[in-house]
Amino acid sequence: RFYPLPTHTHRSRARSRADLKKPRSRAAPWRSYKSHAKSSEDQFWMISDTFCWTSKGIEYYKQKLPKDLWASNHAEEGMPICNEILVQILADGDTPKSMLKRKFASGKPSSAPPKLLEIQDQWQDLLLWPAEPTADEVPLLDELKMAVAPSLEGLACADWEDVTGSIRLLRFLRGFEFHVPSAALAFRRMLEVRRDYSMDASHDKAIEINAATGPFGELLPTDKSADIHKHMPWMRMGVAQGGARGIGPVHYLPLARISFDGFYAADCADNFFEHHTVCQQAGAYELQQLSKERGVMVKTAMILDMQGGGMSNLRHRQFDKQFKPEQERIDKGMAEAVGVIFMVNMPTWLQPLFNLMKRVMPARTLAKLQHVPRGKEAQTLLPIIGPEVWQRICAQRAESEADRDPSTFHISAGRTCSRTIVACPGQTVHWAFSVEVRDIDFEAKLYRQSELGETQELASPVELRRVSSTEGSVDGKFCVQANVDGAEPTTQVLLEFIWSNLHSYMRSKTVCGVTIVVDGAECMPTPQD
């Protein structure tokens, strides 16, 4: 039987009118919305953390505030009010709030043209961002240059391309979805950070250290930099070659190696900000140089390895209180420096939580995050970062397991394990292993880098097969030819050996006696084969 809706709803509303004065009344939840939905010019309206000028407000405050503030801060109608002037305005007891108005009727920044947003999504999918502004970006970039020009007067960094050049300004413009006031405000805040930490004085030092270190290796600007890298290993794996053209420097972060207690035990706190600011300037200079060489806007790829890591490796009460706010303030100056973030070895318990967080993440942030399933690291990363950088990452992962026997490893149910090696034409790769109990799937994959810089997967030297423990020791070899699959000659190839336990739902397997040896004397290249 179906019952009609109650007819006394209006009575319950009438009885609850006395509760309408409460800010959050369950009886009338729409009341709080109506109280905040009034449109009045007497209110301060915030747009992306930005207050905007009106013509009347400029006339009023130019007479009231000290002239020194106006000498260093430019003001035009519709432009954001800088923090230095905004503090003076809010501290004034007799502030006419009508001098500030909401710039957009919706209370949000004006959205970029749909065409620009669609093109930006395509750039992200291809990991290829143009270094030159498009026809639709040119007027916005010119407007941004005019907005920040007064803030650059008298600064040493005004002539440095890696700080104030067109490519750097274009990063801010694209990072804030082509909203010029927000991009200009972020750029001014970056200049404030440079002034607070005297980054102009250490600019030449950052360039020298970057040139001396090369594309890979840790930057050591201070005496404690080696200890900082030891306990906070943000490793530079080199510049991606043979992958996506828009990806340059590759950074590898193993969470399990982060030790905040070791950071404080080594007395690194006093040198942290100096180390961090110099490394950031060196990174910005490297991105600028690579962008000019390749003709595209080069960004950084980050690889977050969660193997063995936990919340204790991410949060620390003393460090978060002492460094986190200022560190985030410094990092915000590197607008659009990161192109993609790969998350590898994600724990099983974290995957449902990550899927839930994806629903509330901004679309542009979500587009940069890529979860790499276990066993598909090489398949996903190689086309982007190239074989040389991938080989260094594999060496770092093996170094973190140096306390274990490298010839023996355990594979949990539903997991895989892999080993990679780089070989040149004329070399022979020998391998051998055995399975202790039951069976394991084994295969080898071959990758090469073409003359165009692309990473291609070639015919597998060892097809997928199931190896049983009853077979004992299994071995084989592969000779690297100068011409692979009839393609043009290649300088080196990457071999990936994969042991898979995906077919098992409950039992883990143990692979022992693993040996991989490269010998260049047994087989010579035969181009005609």
Side-chain angles (χ1 to χ4, degrees):
R1 183 178 179 182
F2 294 92
Y3 294 91
L5 293 174
T7 58
H8 58 278
T9 306
H10 62 284
R11 298 177 184 174
S12 62
R13 285 186 178 178
R15 288 196 301 268
S16 62
R17 285 180 180 175
D19 299 331
L20 293 181
K21 296 182 180 180
K22 297 181 180 179
R24 295 181 181 178
S25 175
R26 290 187 177 181
W30 45 268
R31 178 63 178 179
S32 59
Y33 167 76
K34 290 178 66 177
S35 63
H36 292 287
K38 299 177 181 179
S39 58
S40 173
E41 293 186 357
D42 294 336
Q43 298 181 2
F44 284 98
W45 290 102
M46 185 173 292
I47 307 164
S48 293
D49 200 21
T50 303
F51 290 98
C52 295
W53 280 114
T54 63
S55 58
K56 189 182 296 184
I58 294 174
E59 295 176 2
Y60 178 85
Y61 283 109
K62 276 193 173 181
Q63 300 177 359
K64 192 168 187 178
L65 296 180
K67 295 183 178 180
D68 297 341
L69 290 176
W70 299 104
S72 58
N73 298 284
H74 186 63
E76 291 183 3
E77 185 177 1
M79 285 184 57
I81 303 176
C82 67
N83 291 342
E84 192 174 5
I85 294 181
L86 186 60
V87 170
Q88 297 289 336
I89 293 176
L90 298 178
D92 188 0
D94 186 23
T95 300
K97 298 181 180 179
S98 59
M99 299 300 136
L100 298 171
K101 71 176 181 181
R102 183 170 56 173
K103 186 173 177 58
F104 301 100
S106 62
K108 297 181 180 179
S110 61
S111 59
K115 181 180 178 181
L116 279 178
L117 296 178
E118 293 177 3
I119 294 176
Q120 195 170 24
D121 293 339
Q122 296 174 7
W123 294 340
Q124 182 64 40
D125 295 338
L126 299 174
L127 296 180
L128 188 64
W129 304 269
E132 297 294 331
T134 62
D136 295 328
E137 291 176 326
V138 169
L140 297 176
L141 183 60
D142 293 340
E143 184 181 352
L144 178 60
K145 289 180 179 179
M146 293 179 58
V148 301
S151 302
L152 294 174
E153 294 180 359
L155 297 181
C157 62
D159 299 327
W160 298 340
E161 289 186 351
D162 58 310
V163 180
T164 60
S166 296
I167 297 179
R168 188 70 184 271
L169 288 173
L170 195 58
R171 293 182 188 272
F172 279 90
L173 184 64
R174 293 173 180 173
F176 288 88
E177 296 184 350
F178 309 100
H179 183 232
V180 176
S182 297
L185 178 64
F187 187 84
R188 293 192 190 95
R189 288 176 175 173
M190 183 267 291
L191 296 179
E192 292 177 2
V193 171
R194 296 188 63 86
R195 179 194 60 196
D196 295 343
Y197 290 94
S198 303
M199 295 176 68
D200 288 354
S202 59
H203 182 260
D204 294 339
K205 178 181 178 180
I207 296 177
E208 294 175 0
I209 292 176
N210 184 74
T213 307
F216 60 93
E218 303 301 342
L219 302 176
L220 304 176
T222 67
D223 297 336
K224 291 291 183 178
S225 294
D227 294 329
I228 294 175
H229 285 301
K230 178 181 179 181
H231 302 293
M232 295 185 177
W234 198 255
M235 304 178 184
R236 298 170 70 237
M237 293 289 101
V239 177
Q241 300 289 344
R245 287 183 59 201
I247 297 299
V250 180
H251 296 269
Y252 175 65
L253 176 61
L255 287 185
R257 295 196 194 181
I258 298 178
S259 174
F260 293 103
D261 295 334
F263 172 84
Y264 282 102
D267 296 331
C268 301
D270 295 337
N271 302 87
F272 178 74
F273 280 130
E274 180 183 357
H275 166 84
H276 189 63
T277 53
V278 173
C279 289
Q280 189 195 76
Q281 291 189 91
Y285 178 79
E286 185 177 20
L287 291 177
Q288 175 69 20
Q289 295 302 112
L290 289 172
S291 299
K292 292 174 62 177
E293 292 175 6
R294 299 185 182 182
V296 297
M297 181 180 288
V298 177
K299 298 185 181 182
T300 302
M302 296 184 180
I303 301 175
L304 186 62
D305 193 346
M306 301 183 181
Q307 181 70 35
M311 293 302 297
S312 60
N313 302 109
L314 295 174
R315 302 296 301 274
H316 189 271
R317 181 176 299 178
Q318 182 179 357
F319 183 88
D320 293 349
K321 183 178 180 180
Q322 185 176 1
F323 296 108
K324 208 70 173 180
E326 286 299 309
Q327 184 183 9
E328 293 178 353
R329 180 168 169 251
I330 295 172
D331 292 341
K332 286 180 179 179
M334 294 291 288
E336 285 300 296
V338 179
V340 61
I341 302 175
F342 295 103
M343 298 178 292
V344 300
N345 295 321
M346 180 181 290
T348 306
W349 61 268
L350 187 58
Q351 295 180 14
L353 181 60
F354 175 71
N355 294 333
L356 184 63
M357 292 174 60
K358 289 195 297 185
R359 301 180 180 180
V360 297
M361 284 184 181
R364 296 187 61 253
T365 303
L366 186 60
K368 295 182 179 182
L369 292 175
Q370 293 191 22
H371 171 221
V372 182
R374 290 181 182 267
K376 295 187 177 181
E377 290 89 351
Q379 180 181 351
T380 304
L381 299 178
L382 268 174
I384 297 176
I385 65 176
E388 187 176 356
V389 175
W390 171 247
Q391 180 70 8
R392 293 196 189 102
I393 293 175
C394 293
Q396 286 293 337
R397 296 174 70 177
E399 183 180 342
S400 63
E401 301 176 357
D403 55 335
R404 307 177 187 176
D405 184 5
S407 63
T408 302
F409 47 85
H410 303 277
I411 308 176
S412 303
R415 302 292 176 85
T416 62
C417 185
S418 64
R419 294 287 187 269
T420 58
I421 191 169
V422 175
C424 297
Q427 292 182 330
T428 303
V429 182
H430 303 261
W431 69 85
F433 70 94
S434 60
V435 185
E436 284 190 355
V437 183
R438 297 182 177 85
D439 53 21
I440 199 78
D441 289 343
F442 172 71
E443 67 176 330
K445 294 184 177 181
L446 184 65
Y447 303 91
R448 74 172 179 89
Q449 182 176 342
S450 66
E451 292 182 351
L452 298 177
E454 299 176 351
T455 302
Q456 300 176 351
E457 182 177 352
L458 306 175
S460 299
V462 180
E463 297 294 338
L464 179 64
R465 56 166 295 201
R466 184 158 297 178
V467 179
S468 176
S469 60
T470 58
E471 300 182 34
S473 180
V474 179
D475 57 4
K477 65 180 181 179
F478 172 74
C479 179
V480 181
Q481 307 294 336
N483 285 9
V484 184
D485 282 2
E488 65 270 14
T490 181
T491 56
Q492 58 180 205
V493 297
L494 186 138
L495 274 168
E496 181 188 22
F497 300 91
I498 305 173
W499 293 267
S500 174
N501 196 24
L502 295 174
H503 62 279
S504 179
Y505 289 93
M506 298 180 62
R507 296 187 177 95
S508 61
K509 309 294 174 57
T510 301
V511 180
C512 56
V514 178
T515 57
I516 302 175
V517 181
V518 179
D519 183 10
E522 293 188 2
C523 181
M524 296 303 294
T526 54
Q528 68 275 12
D529 291 343

